[in-house]
């Protein structure tokens, strides 16, 4: 997820000061770190940057995707705020690119346009029963507890004992951890009050994290697994047979993968020390990876209205290491559960028919951020690469796009000869269409109220959950 961003020529933060501007939009749900990051490296004094965002609030994935119990990851907002307050950077929230303003209109107003709107679509599992009540995408579930306005009607039913998370990336582990975390830990985060109250009443005591391949191919990081292992009140419960042959393969693994695999091995099959054993005996909740499994069907309740379980195909691997492929064995197993959360990936969507788009890969075709066959059009973030990597990866990806843009300006590949009016032209169009943007100072009003509300209950902030409330405050 990311946000709309636009750069001007008044190159300074990537726009022209001569009245030409570059622009970058994101038609996903939020204004994200990929957009802000594209503004930062090697800022030039002859460039101006305007950022367009669909929501009234900035920061995209950092605000709505990062787990609430990872406040250190959100510290990057401090840097983004410095960018947003720069005199050569403009923020225009509440503007939906592709709907309120077209990409072609942005190109007419700016010397360059950078698209950075992330991956808003969910990848379908393509199995029977995935539309049953009790089945959610990880994107929507994360959006629910993180305060994304479009996800506030989710109201997940947490009355079951077992939840199954499909996928073994960091987001999958975030979801599992939030489901099992002690409420006293979550009370100190910026998780929404509605989600906190729902989790207080939750009956979920067991979370299985399912992946089609094995321990050596798992997609999460050692930090995320360590957090699960050390989660108070929860113990790991895994199948030792899933780790057959893994110890012997350790010597050939690269160091990061080896550390991760050793941690999982220890949690799965080694007897804990006496102190850890006592802690495990007292744990009322459990979690575990289930490897070599693929979803076949979500099983319905007797009345056919909601989730009662999931059928998993048992796989074997062909090949080794990262290249190993999961192959069906013909065996299946059923797991009783009332909650299924699919974390199998996201995909970018086309926001404007004028933008080149590879529907199979769900990205904008590009070379180092330069959109192919579209002079003056650039992209960054997951729209550029697909949904891979963490925030640091996305930032480096955005820096590359920014470098490509500056190179094109310096080499003359980007036409800077025309006088472009940038935000002036776009805001005139928005006014005629009765669209009122939210400025960065408007966002700061929202920010002050959210932090004040949170501070009164010991939280870093209490997020506003509706666009209407955000707009009412921002426009005061």
């Amino acid at each position: 997820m990311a946000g709309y961003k636009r750069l001007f020529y008044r190159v300074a933060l990537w726009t022209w000061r001569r009245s030409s501007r570059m622009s970058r939009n994101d038609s996903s749900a939020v204004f994200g770190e990929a957009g802000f990051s594209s503004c930062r490296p090697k800022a030039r004094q002859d460039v101006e940057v305007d950022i367009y965002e669909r929501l009234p609030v900035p920061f995209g994935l950092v605000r709505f995707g990062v787990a609430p119990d990872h406040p250190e990851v959100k510290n990057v907002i401090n840097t983004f705020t410095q960018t947003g307050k720069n005199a050569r950077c403009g923020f225009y929230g509440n503007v939906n690119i592709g709907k309120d303003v077209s990409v072609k209109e942005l190109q007419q107003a700016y010397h360059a346009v950078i698209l950075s709107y992330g991956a808003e679509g969910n990848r379908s599992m393509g199995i029977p029963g995935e539309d049953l009540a009790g089945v959610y995408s990880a994107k929507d579930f994360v959006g629910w507890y993180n305060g994304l306005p479009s996800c506030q009607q989710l109201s997940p039913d947490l009355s079951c004992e077992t939840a199954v998370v499909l996928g073994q990336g960091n987001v999958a582990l975030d979801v599992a951890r939030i489901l099992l975390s002690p409420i006293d830990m979550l009370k100190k985060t910026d998780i929404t009050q509605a989600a906190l109250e729902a989790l207080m009443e939750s009956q979920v005591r067991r979370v299985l994290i399912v992946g089609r391949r094995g321990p050596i191919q798992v997609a999460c990081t050692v930090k995320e697994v360590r957090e699960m292992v050390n989660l108070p009140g929860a113990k790991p419960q895994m199948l030792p047979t899933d780790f057959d042959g893994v110890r012997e393969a350790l010597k050939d693994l690269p160091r990061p993968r080896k550390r991760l695999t050793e941690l999982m091995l220890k949690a799965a099959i080694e007897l804990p020390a006496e102190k850890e054993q006592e802690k495990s005996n007292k744990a009322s909740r459990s979690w575990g990876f289930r490897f070599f499994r693929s979803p076949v069907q979500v099983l319905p309740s007797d009345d056919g209205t909601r989730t009662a379980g999931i059928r998993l195909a048992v796989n074997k691997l062909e090949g080794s290491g990262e290249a190993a492929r999961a192959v069906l064995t013909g065996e299946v197993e059923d797991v009783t559960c009332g909650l299924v959360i699919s974390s199998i990936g996201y995909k970018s969507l086309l926001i404007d028919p004028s933008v080149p788009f590879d529907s199979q890969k769900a990205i904008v075709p590009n070379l180092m951020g330069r959109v192919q066959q579209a002079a003056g059009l650039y992209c960054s973030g997951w729209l550029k690469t697909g949904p891979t990597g963490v925030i640091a990866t996305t930032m480096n990806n955005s820096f590359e796009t920014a470098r490509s843009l500056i190179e094109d300006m310096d080499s003359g590949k980007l036409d800077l000869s025309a006088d472009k009016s940038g935000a002036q032209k776009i805001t005139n169009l928005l006014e005629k269409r009765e669209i009122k943007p939210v400025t960065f100072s408007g966002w700061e009003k929202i920010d002050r109220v959210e932090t004040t509300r949170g501070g009164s209950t010991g939280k870093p902030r209490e997020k506003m959950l509706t666009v209407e409330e955000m707009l009412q405050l921002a426009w005061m």
Side-chain angles (χ1 to χ4, degrees), residues 91-110:
F91 173 69
Y92 299 87
N94 193 43
V95 180
N96 193 342
I97 302 301
K99 181 180 177 183
D100 299 333
V101 178
S102 71
V103 171
K104 282 188 175 180
E105 287 171 329
L106 285 173
Q107 290 179 292
Q108 291 167 2
Y110 292 91

Side-chain angles (χ1 to χ4, degrees), residues 326-347:
V327 178
L328 298 176
T329 63
E331 297 179 50
V332 297
E333 64 181 32
D334 293 348
V335 176
T336 299
C337 64
L339 178 65
V340 174
I341 299 175
S342 173
S343 185
I344 60 172
Y346 314 108
K347 62 181 181 180

